[in-house]
Amino acid sequence: MKKGVVIVCFLLLVLNVMAQMPKELEDPTVPSVSALDPRATFFQYQSETLATHSNKEEDKNYLSLNGVWNFYWAENPDKIPQGFYSKGYSTQGWQSIEVPSDWQMKGFGVPIYTNVKYPFEKNPPYIQKHYNPVGSYKKKFELPKEWKNRKVILHFGAVNSAFIVWINGHQVGIGKGSKTPREFDVTEYLKKGSNDISVQVYRWNDGSYLEDQDMWRLSGIERDVYLRALPETYLSDWFIKTELSDDYKNAKLSLETTWSGELTGAKVELALLNPKGEEVLKKQYNIERELVIEESIISPQLWSAEKPNLYQLQLQVTKGKAVSYLGQSIGFRKVEIKNKQLMVNGQPILIKGVNRHEHDEYEGHVVSRDDMLADVLLMKQHNINAVRTSHYPNDPYWYELCDKYGLYVVDEANIESHAMGSLWNDGYSLDKTLGNNPKWKEAHLNRVKRMVERDKNHPSVIIWSLGNEAGSGKNFEDAAQWIKSRDNSRPVQYEQAWTESYTDIVVPMYYRINDMQEYLTLGDDRPFILCEYMHAMGNSVGNIIDYWDLIESEPQLQGGFIWDWMDQGLKGKTTNGEDYFYGGDFGPADVPSDKDFCLNGLIFPDRSIKPALLEVERVYQNVKFKNWEIGKAEVSCDIFNYYAFTDANELDFEYQILADGKVVSEGKWDIGNIVPNKHKNAVLALPKASQQDQELLLNILVSRKDSLPGLSAGKVVARHQQALSGYKAYAHEVTSSEDFRTYENEEKLCVFGDRFSAAFSKKSGLLIEYTYDSESFLKQPLSPNFWRNPTNNDRGYQMQNSYAMWRGTDSQLTRFTYNQLSDGILEVMASLSYMDGAVHTEIKYVIGGDGSVAVDFTMVKSTDLPDIPRVGMRMQLPIEYANVNWYGRGPVENYIDRMQAADIGLYHAKVKDLETPYIVPQENGNRTDTRWLQILNSSGKGLKIIGKQPLEFSAHNYTLEDLDDFPEHRFELPRRALVELNIDLKQQGVGGDNSWGYKPLKKYRLSQDTYSYGFIIIPQG
């Protein structure tokens, strides 16, 4: 009996031990166990050729552990396989997983998206016991024979979020902090031949309280895992500095190096090659434990985002013979703050930036090198010059690309504790924030140090950021002080510091234009750069031009970073194929979620472009044309060169003259030169034009003469369109016809002509039937419309509720009359009342003998009603009318506050291609400043609609009511056998200052009490 009790007690003790999470994973004073000090990203090669080409994967000093691992997923620490790390442990019954990967993307557990709320119970530093998934990984590998007696380092590029590693059953160490490397010396644990590595990854640990970023909460080994064998004499770390002279013409190259291993008789040969591959320096030095190398470089080619000139630094280590080789790209550049401005190489720069999360539509946080390159090239081709690594250090390869192709980087520490309190949120207190809690000091400092040490040699990194939305406090002050003592060559920023002294740049988020103007009155002497602005959620990024009109006029305002680069949608299967999913679409109903707030990108998850990115490209362009004076023989304007390092004579300027949308003249424009950050007045002589009765437009195209990394010769880098003549409304004379008659009954008034017929309802006053040559055009009447389906920004200020009176409004016909103006011309008048008389409309139709219908529409609203989302009319046509031609702004979707990228011209599209497929269906596909449009079938039959003033239009294969059912995904939006055509005077802008309360700017809202417009419908074919 006693023996049984002892066994039971023993089992209970074992189960209790099994259920416990390692104490180090709930202790913020322990950022790691047995991990090596952080270092810069470099590799010591055995092969000189591979070192030259940075191809460590092929080098004999490298052994990749990427690939297929055995894997066991448990929902909490209580259920992990005990002793799995023992050598010889059987993994029979386990599954397999690819490394790198996020295990949720491989079918284990649930992806969670939240913005602020922790996805676990908040009780820092502790983690809930009942649900904290753990992934156990196991893999065998063969130690290369030539590694005998070599020091071997185990490298984890990034593990989300904490992990323990064993080699051959021996615990090697513990790592926390999911976005920077952890390395361990595993020499003593390895043996000849076959070896066994085991890793246990915890979804959450105390460090998760500092990883509360607005992104998918995923888990796994997310970056490369490998072993590296060190040579007899090896470089432990180095800090490469390039100090420019006061006139920025010469430089001092400084290498602060730390060496380990056997140093006796060891030498290092340094060679420096310029961007053309020419050797400009070659010297040999005796290696010491701490070796500082300083050399003068005369007239180096400087690095900038515009001209990313890279030198190649090559090291050869010898001890009688070559021991190892290293290669490193470096850039000569200087970052400083002078005269209230951020400067690079003595020139003030404008930050034309975006925030970027690491995201893949299938792999989560694991992004391939090809996709990173695709991101860089897309940014370069759309005039983006800067990226903030929101909100954590990115994959090291990202920085190599930014160095090579030229992007300024704000490197941000992996710190966000938003749910503990953020500066601008209610209830914020320094007593609550972890940033002011001394127990969390080491956790903050460690993350900052690991970022700085890893990325310190990249010229693209021009600013260090302490993190995001984690409150202020002593821990951040200490972190800033540490950075400045370690690296005085870059400024430090932190949004939550606001104007506290430890941030060198004032970097608020979502400041509106008036807020920025107010900042200028404070007398602060620091640059002002928006760390986040233009919340690009859904159909957004309106009024970015207004931001930049102010930024370009005030030197202290130096730009900002749009939120953000890519929609964080995850591809998933539907009954009809695939679609994008977002927060709340995975797992049970109680999974924490902030729904579609992860969909804020300028591009879709597959990297297809949204119209907003084209608007950004136009507004971000570095050549602008302002202050036009238009004459008959010539025009002139001020041309502004907003480049910091590019002369205008490096660009080609061309012009086109358009008459009613068609090019009638074109040529080169010799403007002379404009040096960076300056402007000049230039004159363009106009060729004689015979099209005096047509609308004349001038297009300017600016392209590169020579290629640069990411930009080919001939790439158009700036555009401008300028009206040369005023817009003239198209005149259409309504013609009469002898074969013209009317018929009426109690229901409707009918009009007949030689080839057409039309009918008007006597109950609604609307045009309900319209045929031409036996083609019936109307599936639904031509009806007034004051509503649009809310965009994400509209939903943020609850337009669906506060403006609901404009939605699906019932009308009451108060007057219906008709009058024969002459033989073959009929005038029909209808008066409609809405909202118990709060809105009155008058519709006048003039029907001609040729079948044309001229429509004049006027609305008057009560002054106490809110702004009107839209003023227009809509109708439905059969689906075969699928082709649209138009003369107006295009080809891309545009709105009154987002039309810079949409020049006036002649365009053609299929109805289905007029749509922008926002992941969450909403208002889309609008075109403004439309002079006329045609909607035709495949035989060229259909309608032409001519505006008596510029129109807006959109066309879809679904109805406004379909959108107003608020489908949550694209696959839930029905496709119907119809075309719904909107013919509008205007709809309000889309806004973008934020998506949680701000309306479009006042000037882009429809706030008047009276609106009138008109158009003419003409049958075609």
Side-chain angles (χ1 to χ4, degrees):
M1 182 65 181
K2 290 182 179 179
K3 183 177 180 180
V5 171
V6 170
I7 292 173
V8 170
C9 291
F10 175 74
L11 289 173
L12 288 172
L13 176 62
V14 170
L15 288 172
N16 187 54
V17 171
M18 288 169 59
Q20 288 183 349
M21 189 167 169
K23 65 181 186 302
E24 295 90 346
L25 301 190
E26 295 182 302
D27 185 350
T29 67
V30 181
S32 67
V33 176
S34 301
L36 299 177
D37 290 339
R39 64 178 181 90
T41 303
F42 62 90
F43 188 82
Q44 293 168 90
Y45 291 81
Q46 188 171 324
S47 163
E48 182 177 11
T49 301
L50 293 175
T52 301
H53 294 91
S54 299
N55 185 9
K56 67 176 182 289
E57 289 78 10
E58 300 297 324
D59 195 78
K60 293 182 178 180
N61 286 346
Y62 178 91
L63 178 63
S64 174
L65 297 181
N66 290 350
V68 178
W69 290 52
N70 294 307
F71 182 73
Y72 186 96
W73 182 88
E75 69 177 10
N76 59 51
D78 189 25
K79 298 181 180 180
I80 59 178
Q82 295 302 299
F84 84 102
Y85 47 79
S86 302
K87 187 169 175 59
Y89 180 93
S90 174
T91 57
Q92 185 175 359
W94 285 31
Q95 295 177 280
S96 61
I97 196 168
E98 193 75 19
V99 170
S101 71
D102 288 305
W103 71 55
Q104 292 86 356
M105 306 310 298
K106 303 300 178 182
F108 302 98
V110 177
I112 298 174
Y113 165 69
T114 63
N115 173 23
V116 177
K117 182 181 179 180
Y118 287 123
F120 47 81
E121 295 172 1
K122 186 170 75 171
N123 183 27
Y126 304 108
I127 297 297
Q128 63 195 26
K129 307 304 180 189
H130 64 281
Y131 185 76
N132 184 18
V134 182
S136 298
Y137 297 74
K138 202 167 180 67
K139 185 181 181 73
K140 292 186 182 297
F141 63 92
E142 289 287 323
L143 192 70
K145 294 178 181 179
E146 56 267 32
W147 285 18
K148 183 179 179 180
N149 299 324
R150 303 273 296 277
K151 182 185 284 289
V152 178
I153 305 301
L154 173 61
H155 174 98
F156 288 89
V159 180
N160 197 342
S161 64
F163 69 102
I164 307 171
V165 59
W166 295 263
I167 297 286
N168 295 325
H170 300 282
Q171 182 172 315
V172 172
I174 297 174
K176 292 189 248 179
S178 65
K179 294 297 183 180
T180 41
R182 285 296 186 190
E183 292 191 318
F184 304 91
D185 184 347
V186 296
T187 309
E188 64 177 294
Y189 306 113
L190 295 172
K191 65 183 186 64
K192 179 181 178 182
S194 178
N195 287 263
D196 183 284
I197 181 171
S198 305
V199 182
Q200 203 162 66
V201 179
Y202 289 77
R203 183 164 195 176
W204 299 309
N205 70 100
D206 63 81
S208 301
Y209 284 96
L210 297 181
E211 297 181 358
D212 191 28
Q213 289 95 340
D214 176 9
M215 65 180 183
W216 286 101
R217 314 305 175 94
L218 303 173
S219 322
I221 302 173
E222 294 182 341
R223 295 180 189 158
D224 292 338
V225 185
Y226 59 85
L227 294 167
R228 57 186 180 96
L230 298 177
E232 180 183 359
T233 303
Y234 61 91
L235 181 68
S236 296
D237 197 13
W238 59 348
F239 194 171
I240 304 168
K241 299 180 179 180
T242 58
E243 301 175 27
L244 301 188
S245 58
D246 290 344
D247 61 4
Y248 308 101
K249 293 182 178 180
N250 300 307
K252 181 174 72 174
L253 174 63
S254 173
L255 277 66
E256 299 174 359
T257 65
T258 302
W259 297 85
S260 299
E262 180 52 56
L263 305 186
T264 305
K267 298 180 183 295
V268 59
E269 182 179 89
L270 180 152
L272 183 67
L273 281 62
N274 69 16
K276 293 182 179 180
E278 301 165 338
E279 194 174 87
V280 297
L281 173 67
K282 190 169 187 177
K283 278 193 177 182
Q284 191 177 74
Y285 312 85
N286 294 322
I287 291 179
E288 304 171 5
R289 192 73 59 191
E290 301 288 339
L291 173 63
V292 177
I293 299 172
E294 293 184 345
E295 298 291 346
S296 295
I297 307 298
I298 305 301
S299 302
Q301 298 178 59
L302 303 185
W303 186 96
S304 68
E306 292 173 32
K307 297 181 178 178
N309 295 307
L310 287 178
Y311 285 67
Q312 298 304 313
L313 189 62
Q314 299 176 350
L315 299 186
Q316 176 179 293
V317 180
T318 61
K319 274 181 67 68
K321 62 178 182 178
V323 173
S324 65
Y325 304 88
L326 291 90
Q328 177 75 43
S329 297
I330 68 169
F332 289 90
R333 61 106 182 92
K334 184 174 185 177
V335 183
E336 57 192 332
I337 293 175
K338 294 170 65 175
N339 303 322
K340 301 183 180 181
Q341 290 181 298
L342 174 68
M343 295 193 171
V344 172
N345 302 334
Q347 290 292 321
I349 62 170
L350 289 172
I351 295 296
K352 301 180 177 186
V354 292
N355 285 273
R356 174 183 177 269
H357 270 297
E358 292 183 314
H359 180 76
D360 182 90
E361 59 183 334
Y362 292 105
E363 301 298 331
H365 294 169
V366 181
V367 182
S368 71
R369 288 189 164 202
D370 286 345
D371 284 344
M372 286 187 244
L373 176 59
D375 280 345
V376 167
L377 293 178
L378 274 174
M379 291 178 187
K380 292 293 292 185
Q381 290 159 9
H382 291 87
N383 290 325
I384 292 165
N385 71 355
V387 62
R388 176 179 176 229
T389 64
S390 53
H391 304 289
Y392 42 81
N394 285 191
D395 187 290
Y397 186 63
W398 177 255
Y399 301 82
E400 292 182 33
L401 293 173
C402 293
D403 292 343
K404 178 179 179 179
Y405 288 95
L407 286 172
Y408 297 122
V409 175
V410 173
D411 205 6
E412 190 149 273
N414 184 22
I415 298 174
E416 179 169 341
S417 54
H418 200 158
M420 298 301 299
S422 180
L423 180 61
W424 309 107
N425 297 143
D426 292 339
Y428 171 73
S429 168
L430 283 176
D431 295 332
K432 298 177 183 178
T433 178
L434 302 180
N436 202 44
N437 187 330
K439 293 180 181 179
W440 289 79
K441 176 179 178 179
E442 180 57 32
H444 285 74
L445 282 175
N446 183 267
R447 289 166 182 261
V448 169
K449 289 177 180 178
R450 288 162 62 193
M451 170 187 69
V452 171
E453 297 296 356
R454 192 197 70 169
D455 299 335
K456 57 184 177 281
N457 292 332
H458 287 285
S460 58
V461 176
I462 65 167
I463 300 169
W464 300 117
S465 171
L466 300 178
N468 184 69
E469 293 178 316
S472 187
K474 187 67 165 56
N475 296 337
F476 287 107
E477 294 176 29
D478 290 346
Q481 184 177 357
W482 179 86
I483 292 178
K484 292 173 183 180
S485 66
R486 177 66 173 130
D487 176 22
N488 62 4
S489 69
R490 299 173 174 98
V492 175
Q493 72 173 50
Y494 183 48
E495 179 262 337
Q496 297 274 289
W498 179 215
T499 57
E500 292 184 68
S501 61
Y502 68 90
T503 181
D504 297 319
I505 307 170
V506 177
V507 287
M509 56 175 64
Y510 305 109
Y511 256 44
R512 305 191 85 181
I513 292 169
N514 60 301
D515 299 322
M516 296 164 67
Q517 293 168 323
E518 185 176 340
Y519 170 81
L520 294 172
T521 69
L522 299 180
D524 198 294
D525 61 359
R526 286 169 288 190
F528 180 102
I529 298 171
L530 292 157
C531 73
E532 295 176 22
Y533 81 116
M534 281 284 102
H535 199 258
M537 187 176 185
N539 191 351
S540 187
V541 193
N543 69 263
I544 187 174
I545 183 63
D546 298 277
Y547 271 94
W548 278 86
D549 284 345
L550 175 62
I551 289 167
E552 290 169 353
S553 69
E554 295 289 349
Q556 194 175 2
L557 306 179
Q558 289 189 262
F561 298 86
I562 292 168
W563 187 266
D564 63 352
W565 174 241
M566 176 186 285
D567 279 353
Q568 294 180 65
L570 296 175
K571 263 291 175 67
K573 293 191 179 300
T574 70
T575 55
N576 298 318
E578 287 187 323
D579 201 353
Y580 288 113
F581 294 87
Y582 48 84
D585 285 335
F586 302 92
D590 61 349
V591 171
S593 169
D594 281 309
K595 302 292 286 182
D596 60 331
F597 209 67
C598 58
L599 307 176
N600 313 308
L602 295 173
I603 61 175
F604 291 105
D606 63 357
R607 290 180 174 77
S608 57
I609 292 170
K610 294 183 184 180
L613 178 59
L614 300 176
E615 185 80 354
V616 169
E617 176 188 11
R618 183 68 68 94
V619 174
Y620 274 8
Q621 68 187 33
N622 290 294
V623 179
K624 300 280 182 77
F625 303 83
K626 304 180 182 181
N627 307 322
W628 284 86
E629 293 188 7
I630 309 298
K632 292 184 178 180
E634 66 180 26
V635 296
S636 67
C637 67
D638 293 329
I639 304 178
F640 288 75
N641 180 3
Y642 288 111
Y643 284 107
F645 305 101
T646 301
D647 284 356
N649 61 17
E650 299 174 48
L651 308 169
D652 280 325
F653 289 73
E654 299 174 273
Y655 72 89
Q656 299 173 332
I657 295 177
L658 283 69
D660 284 351
K662 296 180 180 180
V663 176
V664 295
S665 180
E666 57 188 335
K668 298 280 189 180
W669 187 12
D670 183 4
I671 67 159
N673 191 29
I674 309 172
V675 298
N677 287 319
K678 298 296 182 182
H679 70 276
K680 68 178 287 188
N681 188 265
V683 176
L684 173 64
L686 297 176
K688 291 183 179 180
S690 59
Q691 300 84 8
Q692 298 299 325
D693 59 338
Q694 294 178 288
E695 181 179 21
L696 299 179
L697 298 169
L698 173 67
N699 285 350
I700 305 295
L701 293 86
V702 183
S703 58
R704 285 213 54 82
K705 290 181 178 179
D706 301 318
S707 64
L708 284 172
L711 296 173
S712 59
K715 169 70 172 71
V716 174
V717 294
R719 298 173 184 267
H720 182 82
Q721 185 173 77
Q722 184 65 37
L724 297 180
S725 63
Y727 166 69
K728 298 176 182 177
Y730 281 75
H732 174 77
E733 292 186 10
V734 178
T735 60
S736 61
S737 171
E738 294 181 1
D739 186 15
F740 188 90
R741 60 195 185 280
T742 62
Y743 164 81
E744 65 177 311
N745 57 29
E746 292 182 356
E747 299 292 328
K748 58 187 179 181
L749 168 68
C750 300
V751 184
F752 301 93
D754 182 30
R755 301 170 65 185
F756 81 95
S757 67
F760 298 87
S761 169
K762 288 186 171 182
K763 293 185 177 180
S764 67
L766 304 179
L767 177 64
I768 58 173
E769 297 173 16
Y770 190 39
T771 63
Y772 189 82
D773 283 350
S774 301
E775 296 277 344
S776 179
F777 296 121
L778 291 184
K779 290 176 70 73
Q780 289 292 328
L782 177 65
S783 308
N785 182 26
F786 310 112
W787 180 249
R788 76 172 186 202
N789 179 257
T791 66
N792 281 115
N793 294 338
D794 294 334
R795 299 175 199 192
Y797 63 85
Q798 296 296 304
M799 187 183 95
Q800 65 272 28
N801 298 322
S802 57
Y803 285 27
M805 68 287 295
W806 297 113
R807 176 183 177 185
T809 302
D810 293 329
S811 63
Q812 180 180 359
L813 183 65
T814 59
R815 180 172 67 107
F816 182 80
T817 61
Y818 66 94
N819 180 36
Q820 190 91 23
L821 298 180
S822 62
D823 290 339
I825 298 177
L826 182 73
E827 179 184 82
V828 178
M829 297 290 297
S831 300
L832 290 82
S833 176
Y834 300 82
M835 305 179 207
D836 296 325
V839 176
H840 294 278
T841 65
E842 296 282 344
I843 309 174
K844 181 175 75 171
Y845 312 89
V846 177
I847 305 95
D850 58 354
S852 64
V853 180
V855 181
D856 288 286
F857 176 82
T858 298
M859 72 159 293
V860 180
K861 76 173 183 69
S862 171
T863 57
D864 58 355
L865 286 175
D867 300 333
I868 313 166
R870 168 189 241 145
V871 174
M873 302 186 80
R874 62 172 174 153
M875 61 183 179
Q876 287 180 13
L877 294 88
I879 193 169
E880 56 263 28
Y881 296 97
N883 302 290
V884 181
N885 304 314
W886 76 99
Y887 176 39
R889 290 196 180 273
V892 298
E893 167 192 278
N894 54 91
Y895 293 81
I896 58 174
D897 61 352
R898 202 188 70 216
M899 60 167 58
Q900 302 303 310
D903 288 335
I904 295 170
L906 293 168
Y907 302 104
H908 168 78
K910 297 287 187 181
V911 167
K912 64 182 179 64
D913 296 326
L914 291 172
E915 176 184 13
T916 301
Y918 297 109
I919 293 176
V920 175
Q922 59 195 272
E923 158 60 35
N924 73 87
N926 193 59
R927 268 75 178 173
T928 66
D929 280 340
T930 303
R931 280 72 169 125
W932 57 258
L933 68 105
Q934 291 175 309
I935 186 159
L936 307 172
N937 63 18
S938 58
S939 300
K941 295 181 178 181
L943 301 176
K944 184 174 186 178
I945 297 163
I946 299 174
K948 295 185 177 182
Q949 69 297 298
L951 300 170
E952 299 188 10
F953 85 92
S954 59
H956 299 96
N957 295 128
Y958 48 80
T959 69
L960 178 57
E961 287 74 19
D962 291 331
L963 284 174
D964 276 346
D965 286 337
F966 290 93
E968 295 185 337
H969 304 89
R970 297 288 308 167
F971 71 89
E972 297 168 348
L973 181 64
R975 300 290 159 165
R976 301 192 184 277
L978 55 82
V979 174
E980 180 156 287
L981 177 66
N982 293 287
I983 309 166
D984 300 326
L985 172 63
K986 281 185 180 181
Q987 62 166 292
Q988 68 176 17
V990 294
D993 289 2
N994 72 21
S995 300
W996 50 92
Y998 290 153
K999 297 179 180 180
L1001 296 186
K1002 180 71 173 177
K1003 65 180 179 178
Y1004 301 125
R1005 304 205 299 263
L1006 307 187
S1007 302
Q1008 297 172 206
D1009 293 334
T1010 302
Y1011 287 96
S1012 297
Y1013 83 118
F1015 54 90
I1016 305 161
I1017 305 172
I1018 306 172
Q1020 304 287 286

